Amino acid sequence: MNLLWLDVETGGLDPRRDALLDLCMVKTDEDGNEIARYSSRIVPANHLCISRQAVRVNGYDAKSWGGASEAVACDEIESLFTCVKSADTKLRPAGWNVYSDIAFVAAMLDRVEAWPCFIVSNDMDHHHLDLFSYAYKITCGMGKPSLRNLLAVVGVDAGLFKLHTAAGDVAACIACYRALRATQGTISKAVQVARDIAMKHADVHYHDYEL
């Protein structure tokens, strides 16, 4: 089944109230090979909220942000994925915070009345590939699980990606996924690395899990 990797940067945690600022979607095959992509910063509507805490993470600056309007972004997403949609397979959403990210995209679609859309249609599989859960034997040992720590565990250089941008996080997720698929037979070594990372946090106690 093909995968739809997605990530968003937002103005907060509430899809109905907070702005969607940056969006990336990448369609891959089940091995993580790219088929199509959409990536753009989004110009938020004036009534949407952007918290100071979110700005510290994603670097949003109203004067220099640029990007597409929500309406244009929705049209571009729909056009791209209509063209590459496979008649014989559904798309399975995938990423680091899949459910939250889909909620933000759905809220944007709702605001511009861009319905129906593939992201909530029969073209989408109702199962999601959550990378944190996919790597659970590793992530269960992390005190404060993060994409950066998972990259370290699977041996991928985090410096290759611009984390806390939608495109950078999607690329990092795909890299982790491919590394995990390639090293499923050596998962014990990855768990040991996760234990070492967890022990760096003073408030964390790593518990052994049966592999």
Side-chain angles (χ1 to χ4, degrees):
M1 178 177 291
N2 290 331
L3 302 172
L4 178 65
W5 297 89
L6 67 159
D7 189 85
V8 301
E9 293 298 318
T10 68
L13 301 177
D14 185 341
R16 296 293 172 181
R17 184 178 65 89
D18 298 323
L20 194 163
L21 301 171
D22 191 12
L23 168 65
C24 182
M25 295 179 172
V26 175
K27 179 181 178 180
T28 72
D29 62 19
E30 62 182 13
D31 293 320
N33 300 308
E34 183 173 325
I35 298 170
R37 75 163 46 225
Y38 174 81
S39 182
S40 180
R41 286 180 169 179
I42 308 296
V43 178
N46 291 333
H47 69 281
L48 297 173
C49 300
I50 303 172
S51 72
R52 291 181 180 178
Q53 183 177 359
V55 170
R56 286 196 294 270
V57 173
N58 57 47
Y60 173 76
D61 181 350
K63 294 181 179 179
S64 61
W65 195 250
S69 67
E70 289 190 336
V72 169
C74 290
D75 286 343
E76 291 175 344
I77 293 167
E78 184 74 18
S79 297
L80 173 64
F81 285 96
T82 297
C83 291
V84 300
K85 182 174 63 176
S86 300
D88 59 344
T89 184
K90 293 186 177 183
L91 287 171
R92 175 166 292 165
W96 186 252
N97 293 307
V98 187
Y99 292 95
S100 174
D101 293 347
I102 286 180
F104 268 94
V105 176
M108 178 178 70
L109 292 166
D110 193 35
R111 283 193 292 272
V112 301
E113 298 181 348
W115 300 97
C117 179
F118 73 94
I119 204 160
V120 290
S121 72
N122 290 331
D123 299 323
M124 297 294 285
D125 186 50
H126 65 279
H127 295 294
H128 296 172
L129 193 159
D130 171 64
L131 192 60
F132 177 85
S133 300
Y134 184 76
Y136 182 70
K137 285 186 177 181
I138 299 171
T139 56
C140 68
M142 293 181 184
K144 295 180 179 179
S146 69
L147 185 53
R148 183 179 297 276
N149 281 350
L150 184 57
L151 286 165
V153 168
V154 300
V156 178
D157 182 7
L160 297 173
F161 311 99
K162 191 173 182 181
L163 299 180
H164 298 301
T165 67
D169 286 355
V170 164
C173 282
I174 295 172
C176 284
Y177 170 76
R178 298 185 69 169
L180 285 163
R181 283 176 61 88
T183 60
Q184 286 176 347
T186 57
I187 197 74
S188 295
K189 181 179 179 181
V191 171
Q192 179 60 54
V193 176
R195 177 187 288 112
D196 295 340
I197 290 174
M199 294 305 292
K200 292 181 181 179
H201 299 280
D203 59 337
V204 171
H205 298 283
Y206 186 90
H207 299 283
D208 288 322
Y209 290 82
E210 181 180 356
L211 299 178

